[in-house]
Amino acid sequence: MMKLITLAALAGSAAAFAPSPVAQTVSRTTALNADLSKELGAQAPLGFFDPLGCVADGDKENFDRLRWVELKHGRIAMLAVVGYLVTYAGVRFPGAEDVPSGFAALDNLPGMVWAQMIATWGMMEAANQDQYAAPWGINSNSLGDSPAEFKGDFRNGALDFGWDKYSEETKLRKRAIELNQGRAAQMGILGLMVHEKLGNIDVLLPSN
């Protein structure tokens, strides 16, 4: 319930068409000098917060990768918080009425349920990705260029829910909301897990 779950060579004559070393150096220098303080997620109350210096070199490519990791963990954490609260409230699938909530559930799940869970995780991981760059970003299919607007955009030309009708400003605002909700959920599920292990989860949640 509280679980979480990430490349090509050039040859021969292609070297004749490669950018000059000077151009490569300029491009790399530009990427490393990106102003990340204006990126999505650098918002109140902390602003641009990087106490460990993970993107201190201004590497935009590395920043985008870390931002996607943060976004994915936030989405998983949001599902985890909802799952924890729902099962803590006593909601169960038919046949699982006697399975406890929280960590205690791990010791009470039949092997078949574990198999179903692992299969579900696998299908979710395979489905929730940019199918134009699938599998897992190595782009080994022939679907063409991806319509994704950002890492984590998994509409794949099918699901939309009105996203394309929004202005750029509205899109950025909604992406910021998702990012902040994910950050809150990561702290939330961590808090629930810690308090359960401390034995005082009832301080946060009413007893069921």
Side-chain angles (χ1 to χ4, degrees):
M1 189 67 64
M2 297 166 281
K3 301 293 180 187
L4 4 121
I5 304 209
T6 181
L7 261 174
L10 295 174
S13 61
F17 301 96
S20 67
V22 173
Q24 291 177 336
T25 301
V26 171
S27 176
R28 183 62 178 166
T29 300
T30 301
L32 291 178
N33 290 332
D35 183 6
L36 303 178
S37 64
K38 302 294 192 301
E39 291 291 326
L40 178 73
Q43 54 203 46
L46 297 178
F48 182 69
F49 186 66
D50 182 26
L52 299 180
C54 295
V55 291
D57 58 359
D59 189 331
K60 184 64 165 60
E61 183 177 350
N62 183 49
F63 175 85
D64 288 341
R65 182 185 64 82
L66 292 175
R67 167 47 43 77
W68 159 233
V69 171
E70 178 186 20
L71 181 61
K72 182 173 183 177
H73 279 79
R75 290 172 174 175
I76 294 172
M78 286 188 275
L79 290 173
V81 169
V82 172
Y84 192 103
L85 296 178
V86 167
T87 54
Y88 187 85
V91 178
R92 297 290 188 278
F93 284 116
E97 292 84 358
D98 296 330
V99 176
S101 62
F103 284 109
L106 301 178
D107 297 325
N108 290 271
L109 293 177
M112 184 55 68
V113 174
W114 275 109
Q116 293 173 350
M117 287 173 58
I118 293 172
T120 300
W121 297 336
M123 288 187 294
M124 291 176 67
E125 183 70 16
N128 288 282
Q129 60 176 299
D130 185 350
Q131 298 298 332
Y132 289 77
W136 292 281
I138 65 175
N139 197 23
S140 60
N141 61 57
S142 58
L143 294 178
D145 295 333
S146 171
E149 296 181 11
F150 55 90
K151 288 183 179 294
D153 179 359
F154 296 152
R155 291 174 296 151
N156 291 307
L159 300 176
D160 182 63
F161 301 112
W163 178 260
D164 286 334
K165 298 178 181 178
Y166 294 137
S167 65
E168 291 303 314
E169 182 180 359
T170 300
K171 288 180 179 180
L172 285 174
R173 181 175 62 83
K174 288 186 174 293
R175 288 176 60 194
I177 290 173
E178 180 188 22
L179 196 58
N180 266 351
Q181 296 284 4
R183 290 169 174 174
Q186 289 175 79
M187 299 302 295
I189 192 60
L190 177 61
L192 291 170
M193 293 164 67
V194 169
H195 277 282
E196 181 181 337
K197 281 300 185 182
L198 290 175
N200 60 355
I201 189 66
D202 57 318
V203 172
L204 301 179
L205 302 175
S207 58
N208 49 8

